[in-house]
Amino acid sequence: MRMRKKKNLEPRLAACTDITVTLGEQKPNWKAIFGNSHPIHLEIGCGKGAFTAAIAAAHPEINFVAIEMIANVAVSAMEKIKKAELKNVRFMVVNAEKLCDIFEENEVDRIYLNFSCPFPKKRYAKHRLTHENFLNRYRYVLGAGKEIHQKTDKEDFFDFSLEQYRKCGWEVKNITRDLHRSEWAQGNIITEYESRFLALGQPIFRAEAVCPTDKPQGTEAS
């Protein structure tokens, strides 16, 4: 079902231009944009921004870039950040396929994938954010040994993700199939979706994937 367009979407987006970065002919100069050289953490699919706001407030020493493909969704996250007056977050309304046009090689220190769309039909597997096509892009923007932190409520998608990580040479660690009954529950930031699933008693699946040392050839151009 098509999402209803939010009321006054355009003026609301315009009010957030100071924390929004647009994709141009040149890659963004993130040091100039943030005014510092702090590490960059990237959230792909930020939703309404509860995770973004909480983690950015807890870690002012880190710069957060939040990517959301749908402006109608991203505007709510942007407004949360504006209201909280957080200076270490920037947004881009863009498809994650463009990552190599957004960041230099090794420029990102961590990626968060929180409750990404599972695209359950097999014919749409290439759209899943843990498909090897995306993992190759992540390998370009991440430095060797840096990590993806993933959470999902979909076990089939989780198993697919673990398979893809290992197939592409990523080390997978700290795996749990019931996050909130695991040692990783402490310090976990609960997203909007996560709170809904918890209320229904559904387990949350979590893992960390470590970027390999080698880089795939031709990634930047893909």
Side-chain angles (χ1 to χ4, degrees):
M1 184 171 64
R2 184 182 296 272
M3 181 183 296
R4 181 180 297 177
K5 183 178 178 180
K6 285 187 168 64
K7 187 176 180 179
N8 299 320
L9 177 61
E10 285 75 16
R12 289 170 66 184
L13 288 169
C16 297
T17 54
D18 57 323
I19 58 170
T20 307
V21 178
T22 56
L23 187 61
E25 293 183 3
Q26 301 295 323
K27 294 181 182 182
N29 183 334
W30 293 108
K31 289 182 181 179
I33 289 167
F34 284 108
N36 59 59
S37 56
H38 294 170
I40 294 174
H41 286 193
L42 169 66
E43 184 184 7
I44 302 177
C46 64
K48 295 180 180 179
F51 177 86
T52 314
I55 198 168
H59 294 283
E61 77 284 1
I62 296 172
N63 295 328
F64 292 89
V65 178
I67 287 178
E68 175 57 57
M69 192 167 60
I70 304 171
N72 205 39
V73 175
V75 69
S76 297
M78 295 174 186
E79 289 172 341
K80 276 189 177 69
I81 298 303
K82 292 277 287 185
K83 184 177 180 179
E85 299 183 347
L86 295 169
K87 306 301 182 185
N88 59 329
V89 182
R90 296 294 184 274
F91 291 89
M92 294 191 76
V93 179
V94 68
N95 192 304
E97 292 178 353
K98 300 293 185 181
L99 281 187
C100 298
D101 298 322
I102 296 170
F103 298 102
E104 300 291 350
E105 187 174 6
N106 303 340
E107 193 170 20
V108 175
D109 289 83
R110 181 174 295 171
I111 292 175
Y112 296 98
L113 300 176
N114 292 319
F115 302 93
S116 309
C117 180
F119 290 100
K121 294 183 179 179
K122 288 185 178 181
R123 67 177 181 270
Y124 296 133
K126 290 184 178 181
H127 296 287
R128 298 170 188 163
L129 287 177
T130 52
H131 187 274
E132 63 179 303
N133 290 346
F134 284 101
L135 292 182
N136 286 339
R137 292 175 171 90
Y138 304 155
R139 286 171 70 177
Y140 177 81
V141 302
L142 284 170
K146 295 173 183 175
E147 299 171 350
I148 295 171
H149 288 198
Q150 181 187 10
K151 291 193 289 184
T152 180
D153 66 305
K154 304 297 185 185
E155 189 166 20
D156 288 348
F157 175 50
F158 188 65
D159 290 337
F160 169 86
S161 300
L162 298 181
E163 178 184 336
Q164 290 289 294
Y165 292 137
R166 291 166 176 149
K167 174 184 175 182
C168 296
W170 295 64
E171 175 194 354
V172 189
K173 63 179 187 177
N174 297 338
I175 300 169
T176 177
R177 291 179 180 271
D178 195 349
L179 170 58
H180 292 273
R181 294 183 180 179
S182 76
E183 61 187 287
W184 296 284
Q186 186 174 1
N188 174 60
I189 295 173
I190 298 177
T191 73
E192 296 97 339
Y193 282 115
E194 193 169 353
S195 61
R196 187 186 311 168
F197 300 141
L198 286 173
L200 295 172
Q202 294 180 224
I204 304 301
F205 305 90
R206 179 192 182 276
E208 299 169 12
V210 183
C211 186
T213 56
D214 61 313
K215 294 288 180 180
Q217 297 298 313
T219 306
E220 187 171 14
S222 63

